[in-house]
Amino acid sequence: MAAAAAAETSEASTAGLALAEANINWERLDKTRFHVIGAILFTAQQGALHPTAVVKTRMQVAEGGLSHMSGFAVFRRILRSDGIPGIFRGFGTSAVGALPGRVLALTSLEMSKEMAFKYSENLDMSEASRIAVANGIAGLVSSIFSSTYFVPLDVICQRLMVQGLPGMATYRGPFDVINKVVRTEGLRGLYRGFGITMLTQSPASALWWSAYGGAQHAIWRSLGYGIDSQKKPSQSELVVVQATAGTIAGACSSVITTPIDTIKTRLQVMDNYGRGRPSVMKTTRLLLEEDGWRGFYRGFGPRFLNMSLWGTSMIVTYELIKRLSVKPE
């Protein structure tokens, strides 16, 4: 009982604040409700943001004029040529395919966060540092586990997103993508970009969660919720602070990780490299030849918007899911 209370206290999202709503650890959750509600709400969130992912992917992959157009111009062009279905290409595959991955990601995130808080109790560091470190470790572990599942899904969805562009293959659906990729490259074709994803997205996930924890702590302190404060924030304050921290974390992450994301996306979907298997070096060299260093920030506007909106909506949704999934006392 004492251990559970200590874990619950250490899992607080802010340093020493009387925020009972934020102190929801893994043991307090009804796991079935957590995953079912999470699947529903995160799928809705994914649908709202999917058009920005399509625009970003097309800008990163396309050659010529499309890569130099603004994100909004590309969005209008897709609407004119393909209508509403065009901006939702790959969504069905992504939404259905992501369900098992979300279970894996959420479970590993919560369990690793709880363990990180537990093992950092006796370390000589401030509460703010513990929050940032524990969140960062949880983000890193969750990304490592989920990448094994999500990289093949990304390859499939991104190929569906860019079909119709010059030089890109046309597919009849996700299973046709799998069939053609496996027939030409074997199973490893579905794991294009896996190495660069593991080396970059995992640290990026750690950065996002660490930035979120640190930003939320700083905001609460600036609002007067110090270590010795006994007052509790309202529900509206809780949502606004978490949303703001999520926006800050998403914005920081997009600035740092867009170049790597551009290379990864092109590596996963482009085949016109001549002989030999595509590689990070070939992809980087071709991008430099096409557009110079600015090419690494292709699609930055849509990605910045996507990650900022994703960070805001994801964390608000995530915290709501936890509150809705608390076991009855």
Side-chain angles (χ1 to χ4, degrees):
M1 189 74 176
E8 181 177 323
T9 301
S10 66
E11 202 270 341
S13 298
T14 57
L17 305 180
L19 303 174
E21 296 86 352
N23 302 344
I24 304 172
N25 68 357
W26 182 244
E27 294 301 320
R28 291 181 59 194
L29 295 174
D30 181 320
K31 310 305 185 294
T32 301
R33 290 177 63 189
F34 180 64
H35 291 307
V36 171
I37 295 173
I40 295 171
L41 294 184
F42 276 131
T43 299
Q45 179 215 21
Q46 181 183 0
L49 297 180
H50 190 79
T52 62
V54 174
V55 171
K56 181 271 300 182
T57 301
R58 288 198 166 212
M59 290 178 70
Q60 288 177 332
V61 170
E63 299 178 7
L66 189 63
S67 63
H68 298 289
M69 295 171 64
S70 69
F72 188 65
V74 173
F75 178 79
R76 288 188 300 178
R77 178 167 175 168
I78 296 173
L79 278 179
R80 283 199 304 269
S81 61
D82 300 323
I84 296 296
I87 61 174
F88 282 96
R89 278 191 177 175
F91 173 66
T93 300
S94 178
V96 175
L99 294 177
R102 285 202 185 95
V103 173
L104 179 63
L106 291 175
T107 301
S108 58
L109 178 72
E110 284 299 318
M111 293 184 69
S112 58
K113 185 191 298 184
E114 185 174 343
M115 291 178 65
F117 273 118
K118 178 181 178 181
Y119 287 110
S120 64
E121 284 178 359
N122 299 321
L123 297 181
D124 184 19
M125 61 172 63
S126 67
E127 192 72 16
S129 298
R130 286 183 62 212
I131 290 168
V133 170
N135 276 275
I137 291 173
L140 178 67
V141 172
S142 177
S143 179
I144 291 173
F145 275 97
S146 60
S147 288
T148 305
Y149 179 87
F150 278 112
V151 167
L153 184 63
D154 277 346
V155 171
I156 295 167
C157 293
Q158 288 172 347
R159 284 178 176 254
L160 292 174
M161 288 178 190
V162 302
Q163 64 178 334
L165 292 178
M168 298 297 160
T170 301
Y171 304 98
R172 295 189 300 274
F175 292 106
D176 190 37
V177 176
I178 296 173
N179 182 51
K180 288 180 178 178
V181 171
V182 172
R183 191 169 64 239
T184 57
E185 299 183 57
L187 284 175
R188 72 175 188 172
L190 293 174
Y191 278 88
R192 273 197 194 183
F194 180 74
I196 194 171
T197 298
M198 289 292 290
L199 291 173
T200 58
Q201 292 301 103
S202 295
S205 178
L207 169 67
W208 193 98
W209 282 100
S210 181
Y212 169 70
Q216 187 180 187
H217 172 77
I219 294 171
W220 285 124
R221 291 298 297 271
S222 70
L223 293 176
Y225 292 90
I227 293 178
D228 298 325
S229 175
Q230 296 300 313
K231 63 178 180 177
K232 295 185 179 181
S234 65
Q235 287 293 322
S236 59
E237 281 184 303
L238 199 63
V239 171
V240 169
V241 169
Q242 290 170 343
T244 303
T247 301
I248 293 171
C252 292
S253 183
S254 67
V255 171
I256 296 171
T257 61
T258 290
I260 299 299
D261 184 72
T262 300
I263 296 171
K264 178 183 74 72
T265 300
R266 290 170 68 90
L267 181 65
Q268 289 177 331
V269 305
M270 298 185 73
D271 295 314
N272 56 335
Y273 292 94
R275 296 182 179 180
R277 177 177 167 78
S279 68
V280 172
M281 290 304 298
K282 288 180 182 178
T283 304
T284 302
R285 194 179 307 118
L286 181 61
L287 189 59
L288 284 171
E289 291 173 359
E290 289 178 2
D291 216 12
W293 290 103
R294 63 179 291 184
F296 290 102
Y297 277 89
R298 283 187 181 183
F300 174 72
R303 188 165 193 266
F304 184 90
L305 178 64
N306 179 277
M307 290 199 69
S308 297
L309 292 176
W310 176 85
T312 305
S313 58
M314 184 280 290
I315 201 62
V316 171
T317 302
Y318 174 68
E319 299 286 2
L320 175 61
I321 291 167
K322 291 177 71 174
R323 292 189 193 100
L324 294 174
S325 303
V326 174
K327 295 175 182 176
E329 295 184 0

